[in-house]
Amino acid sequence: MEPADEPLILRSPKSPDEWDAYFDLRWRMLREPWGQPRGSERDPLDDSAFHLLRLDSARKPLACGRLHFNAPDEA
């Protein structure tokens, strides 16, 4: 099956396992390459941000992202 034919899921993490996968992927992509410790991928803005997780059909995390507002008209 071609990768484009596989159903992909894009949503906010729902379960504790999805949240763990989300933060693990965020750490591996953004912090681990710079030698930063686990936990450094989190900050106080996470509580008020909008989070998305991209999963493949086997529920393997492929991508993640976060949007937070800097001002009422700026994100």
Side-chain angles (χ1 to χ4, degrees), residues 18 21-22 24-25 28 53-56 59-63:
E18 286 184 3
Y22 172 90
D24 178 66
L25 182 60
R28 286 188 292 117
L53 181 61
R54 183 69 173 231
L55 303 164
D56 67 12
R59 301 291 197 263
K60 177 185 173 193
L62 302 175

Side-chain angles (χ1 to χ4, degrees), residues 45-58:
L45 293 174
D46 283 326
D47 291 339
S48 61
F50 182 74
H51 302 270
L52 285 175
L53 181 61
R54 183 69 173 231
L55 303 164
D56 67 12
S57 60

Side-chain angles (χ1 to χ4, degrees), residues 10-75:
L10 179 64
R11 66 171 185 229
S12 294
K14 291 184 175 184
S15 69
D17 286 342
E18 286 184 3
W19 279 107
D20 288 345
Y22 172 90
F23 283 115
D24 178 66
L25 182 60
R26 198 161 105 181
W27 175 75
R28 286 188 292 117
M29 296 294 109
L30 300 176
R31 308 299 289 169
E32 182 183 30
W34 301 101
Q36 299 298 310
R38 285 194 181 270
S40 64
E41 73 282 3
R42 300 179 187 223
D43 65 39
L45 293 174
D46 283 326
D47 291 339
S48 61
F50 182 74
H51 302 270
L52 285 175
L53 181 61
R54 183 69 173 231
L55 303 164
D56 67 12
S57 60
R59 301 291 197 263
K60 177 185 173 193
L62 302 175
C64 64
R66 176 183 88 170
L67 176 74
H68 64 268
F69 287 92
N70 298 320
D73 59 348
E74 178 185 280

